[in-house]
Amino acid sequence: MLVAAAVCPCPPLLVPEVAAGAAAELDAARAACADALGVLAAARPDRLVVVGPAEQEGSGAHPQGARGSFRGFGVDLDVRLGPAGDPSADGRELPPSLAVAAWLLQRTDWADAPIEGLGVGEPLAPERCIEVGREIGARAARTALLVMGDASACRTLKAPGYLDERALPFDAEVARALGAADWAALVALDTELAYELKVSGRAPWQVLAGAAEGADLTGTLLYEDAPYGVGYLVAAWS
């Protein structure tokens, strides 16, 4: 049963050591993420599932204690997904989105419930995303979700995907859906358009939608901006 969810962006720039001199530019986003994680903690879940976009090699389950690193971004910084757990957790490295989630959780000293990670590939079909979410939501334990993912990367001329006039309305609809805990609207997202706009959060958001079916949750949009031409959204459902 899903009792709470937090939705956060996943740029490595959220980590101040990675952002370096530009770190202050995302202070408001970091604060909003901390507030969203506070909603999860207040729900007193029996377990936390962290879902984020991943390349093929990073997709699938990642156990509690799995390690991630920001060395690929030029920073000698390692993270762990919650406290040490499965002895095999030192094997496959967390994808960047789950490494950012692990960093956020470490900042909040999360230790209230067991944690598991799930990397989902961008091409994962909506039907499969919904199915995965339903499986998560159907378990008897009180479950919280931390859902990582960015909106479009086409909001400005200097954005990674250049300027696309479709990006702003797409992001606005996602923001509305997240703020209203409208899981049906997340199910209905245009998969092809999301791909064209370089949206990394589409699949994780649709996993959330599947988990939220039948749950009586309300949403709050805590942050919405595109400081680097990429849409960053933070929301909490409880």
Side-chain angles (χ1 to χ4, degrees):
M1 177 178 65
L2 185 68
V3 296
V7 178
C8 295
C10 59
L13 288 173
L14 271 181
V15 179
E17 290 88 343
V18 175
E25 296 176 10
L26 289 181
D27 279 349
R30 293 183 195 98
C33 289
D35 290 343
L37 290 178
V39 171
L40 296 188
R44 303 182 67 81
D46 296 323
R47 69 183 184 122
L48 174 65
V49 180
V50 183
V51 183
E55 299 294 339
Q56 186 61 37
E57 63 272 14
S59 62
H62 293 267
Q64 177 170 302
R67 292 183 178 275
S69 171
F70 295 98
R71 297 174 191 273
F73 302 95
V75 176
D76 185 11
L77 177 64
D78 297 325
V79 291
R80 184 189 289 272
L81 188 63
D86 187 332
S88 68
D90 289 329
R92 199 162 54 112
E93 186 169 293
L94 294 170
S97 66
L98 297 189
V100 173
W103 179 82
L104 289 171
L105 290 166
Q106 286 181 358
R107 292 180 73 226
T108 59
D109 296 322
W110 181 279
D112 297 83
I115 300 174
E116 59 188 85
L118 177 63
V120 292
E122 188 280 333
L124 195 65
E127 296 79 10
R128 179 55 182 153
C129 294
I130 300 304
E131 182 182 349
V132 170
R134 286 172 176 160
E135 292 170 357
I136 293 172
R139 299 181 199 175
R142 289 171 54 84
T143 300
L145 275 177
L146 172 54
V147 182
M148 309 298 292
D150 301 337
S152 70
C154 302
R155 291 279 292 272
T156 66
L157 293 173
K158 294 183 178 181
Y162 198 65
L163 177 64
D164 190 315
E165 63 184 11
R166 301 172 297 173
L168 182 58
F170 181 94
D171 288 359
E173 171 56 15
V174 173
R176 185 207 64 77
L178 293 176
D182 186 350
W183 59 266
L186 297 178
V187 171
L189 290 176
D190 186 326
T191 303
E192 182 176 350
L193 178 59
Y195 175 78
E196 293 174 358
L197 296 176
K198 303 183 183 301
V199 176
S200 71
R202 190 274 307 170
W205 298 333
Q206 289 183 327
V207 172
L208 167 61
E213 285 185 3
D216 185 17
L217 302 177
T218 59
T220 304
L221 186 65
L222 301 172
Y223 179 86
E224 177 186 10
D225 203 356
Y228 305 112
V230 181
Y232 296 151
L233 301 166
V234 181
W237 294 12
S238 62

